[in-house]
Amino acid sequence: MELESLLAAAHALAPQIVEWRRTLHRWPELAFTEHRTAALVAARLHEWGIPHETEVAQTGVVGQIGAAAGPTIALRADMDALPIPEENDVPYRSERPGLMHACGHDAHTAMLLAAARLLKEHEAELPGRVKFIFQPAEEVIPDEGGSGAWRMIAEGVLDDVDAIVGLHVDPTLPTGQIGIRPGPIMAAADRFELTIMGKAAHGAHPYQGVDAIVLAAQVVTAAQTLVSRRIPANKEAVVTFGTIHGGNKENIICDRVVLTGTVRTFEPAVRDQLEAELEQVASLVRALGGDYRLRYLRGSPPVNNDGLLTGFVSRVARQVVGAEQVVDIPKSTGGEDFAWYQQKTRGTFVRLGCQAPTDEPPRALHTPTFDLDEAALPLGAALLAAVALRWLQEHGRKG
Ligand SMILES: [Zn+2]
Ligand SMILES: [Zn+2]
């Protein structure tokens, strides 16, 4: 079948894609509690006669169509929302106080449903299988292995998969554009918790104690030199302290400060180096009479796009949205647990522009005013379906 007719079919389905997205948007659910979301997904798949499993990695859903004889391509959407109170005054505003789909996962779920619907109509033409992975819990920077993708892999979701494609809405790109980049595109997202111990004393007699606040200040300042002085200028990295808590009263020398933060890197060597150097920076409190405990927790690895598969998706995207609408995107120091799938099989992660012409400045992801241009939804659905179809057509015969 031609990709133009796939795009036309996606446009015809647009009112329903919008309706699914709005239903999900009204009822955002946090990581591993996506019960209603999963029920909506399962109900649609059931209605269309697509075999599926539920409760995969707790609240995930996995559907599958096509011929078992050929290769398998997986398409992935994430389903969870964020603990952010929505400020948009729209008819489909979140009905759950404090929770919001501020990362567009409602749209990802709706688009993957639409892709399943579109491909199901051409199931007889598929020389292989398409797996639809509706994943829970992307929005956690977990202790190693805690997020939805990792747990789905642990349950065997990728065991028979030869390639995987994921897509994320991007409010920095206008609707109609697809953002592509081979190689590393998103960072490893680690986090740490640093406890600094001093010795309490009367605030009037600091020499009798060890001031944990002063120690923490030294550590925070010293840590600013990690990226600027220790990492080569042609490597990217971020070290951020996000919280600092300590002290009980203005006239007591504080004996304990807890700091938390995140480290973002693209290369394993830089990641290892920063973990070791953060420890070294923390240890300077010992020279000053204090002590510390550092817990460094590795999250997802970098999202690293397979070169061949990315080139393939780029070619299909040009056919779907037009060559001039497919753009190169820069690396982002954001993290994405899609990276876990790429540890197991070749994968690529693409960006779907969703900035409405009226959105100036763009609405940022993870903010209370994030929203997306729903005109992007049929494009994303058509792209996912087209990639799966063409990939199977190219690889199905080779086996
Ligand atoms: Zn997010
Ligand atoms: Zn996201």
Side-chain angles (χ1 to χ4, degrees), residues 283-290:
S283 72
L284 75 82
V285 304
R286 288 195 177 140
L288 301 169

Side-chain angles (χ1 to χ4, degrees), residues 76 78 80 103-105 108 138-139 168-169 335-336 349 365-366:
R76 174 270 205 171
D78 41 12
D80 54 326
C103 203
H105 298 185
H108 302 165
E138 193 283 321
E139 296 286 3
H168 205 294
V169 293
E336 235 299 335
F349 195 62
L365 294 168
H366 286 219

Side-chain angles (χ1 to χ4, degrees), residues 239-270:
V239 176
T240 290
F241 289 92
T243 68
I244 174 164
H245 292 286
N248 293 313
K249 201 173 184 313
E250 80 288 341
N251 61 358
I252 302 173
I253 296 297
C254 165
D255 66 347
R256 192 182 148 91
V257 172
V258 180
L259 307 107
T260 64
T262 183
V263 176
R264 306 297 171 109
T265 54
F266 291 95
E267 291 179 28
V270 177

Side-chain angles (χ1 to χ4, degrees), residues 210-242:
V210 177
D211 192 338
I213 287 179
V214 174
L215 297 182
Q218 309 255 20
V219 169
V220 171
T221 306
Q224 304 314 305
T225 63
L226 289 177
V227 174
S228 70
R229 305 290 84 174
R230 301 297 301 150
I231 302 299
N234 59 352
K235 313 272 185 204
E236 302 98 334
V238 173
V239 176
T240 290
F241 289 92

